Amino acid sequence: LHPTPPPAVPTLSDTHSCGAETAPDGRAAVKGGGGGGGGGGTGTAAAATQPPPTSRRPRVLLALTGSVASLKAPELASALAAWADVRTIATESALHFFAPSDLPPAAQPVLRDADEWSAWAARGDPVLHIDLRRWADVLVVAPLSAHTLAKAAAGLADGLVSTVLRAWEWGAKPAVLAPAMNTAMWAHPCTAGQVAAVEGFGAVVVRPIVKTLACGDEGVGAMAEPLSVSEAARGVVLGGGR
Ligand code: PCO
């Protein structure tokens, strides 16, 4: 754990900018955008998305959740910052696995639940999860923990990351989700339906890959490689649709 004081909340006008589905070549298999999958879902929310104006860089809202794959946060944030302006949010559990100061400066500060409350005191004050939603062209939740996947599928909203997910303009703005969890959790009977649910909303799900996991198990459940996640996000945001 790397405890950090809550960072100052920047204004959004700042311009700092149930089974293995790994592709045969070992790269992450990508599904989503209403195409079903994750256990036979039949997604329906494949509305067209607007690409960002070409006069500015794409804007990625990176959300980190409580999977050990949050160890990869610095690598993923760097990959995204190479082509996009990045803002970063994290659950409290995610912060067990990386230090915000390890992220590239372009992906700092890391906003967390406390920032939602400190940003708001009275009517008219900014509502952080809404302002972040408005700012972003694409949401990237990587890693998406088993818990946050379940909350997203059910529409639960009890923190900064889950309120962004609940407030997301599904169908109008793309979202890329990269689940990561133990193999048995991925294989749990509840997972396929939850993946199908978020794909039904319109999410692109970058499937976990086979690796030796943090607990020593070997199997599907590791987060797709950061570059694969970054490329999936770049594809959906610059492609202007899914
Ligand atoms: C924990 N869960 C996991 C799933 C996520 N793991 C991963 C990789 C890392 C090492 O390459 C940890 C990034 O295994 O994404 O391990 C209990 S088994």
Side-chain angles (χ1 to χ4, degrees):
L1 176 61
H2 303 275
T4 51
V9 180
T11 66
L12 293 174
S13 58
D14 289 349
T15 53
H16 85 89
S17 184
C18 306
E21 299 193 41
T22 309
D25 62 359
R27 290 157 50 98
V30 179
K31 280 189 181 181
T42 52
T44 54
T49 58
Q50 292 294 319
T54 52
S55 55
R56 62 163 173 77
R57 275 154 61 90
R59 295 170 174 171
V60 174
L61 179 58
L62 170 62
L64 297 137
T65 73
S67 160
V68 65
S70 277
L71 289 168
K72 298 272 184 173
E75 199 181 327
L76 176 57
S78 297
L80 293 168
W83 58 269
D85 288 350
V86 178
R87 290 194 184 278
T88 309
I89 60 179
T91 65
E92 298 306 304
S93 304
L95 292 163
H96 285 273
F97 300 111
F98 73 100
S101 59
D102 291 341
L103 299 192
Q108 294 184 35
V110 176
L111 301 175
R112 56 204 289 179
D113 293 350
D115 295 306
E116 179 91 87
W117 300 113
S118 60
W120 195 95
R123 197 155 24 157
D125 286 350
V127 176
L128 187 57
H129 62 277
I130 300 298
D131 284 357
L132 289 167
R133 189 275 309 282
R134 289 185 181 133
W135 174 84
D137 296 315
V138 60
L139 172 66
V140 175
V141 189
L144 175 66
S145 69
H147 186 66
T148 303
L149 169 62
K151 291 204 297 187
L156 298 178
D158 64 350
L160 182 56
V161 172
S162 58
T163 48
V164 166
L165 278 160
R166 183 59 196 255
W168 197 246
E169 292 174 274
W170 297 101
K173 287 187 178 189
V176 172
L177 312 180
M181 62 195 76
N182 177 265
T183 306
M185 296 168 84
W186 180 248
H188 187 283
C190 73
T191 305
Q194 292 168 357
V195 171
V198 296
E199 287 184 332
F201 301 160
V204 169
V205 175
V206 184
R207 294 314 201 252
I209 60 176
V210 174
K211 256 192 190 176
T212 301
L213 304 178
C215 52
D217 284 0
E218 178 158 353
V220 69
M223 189 178 77
E225 293 301 339
L227 207 52
S228 302
V229 177
S230 173
E231 287 304 302
R234 184 151 69 156
V236 294
V237 74
L238 296 181
R242 295 179 298 272

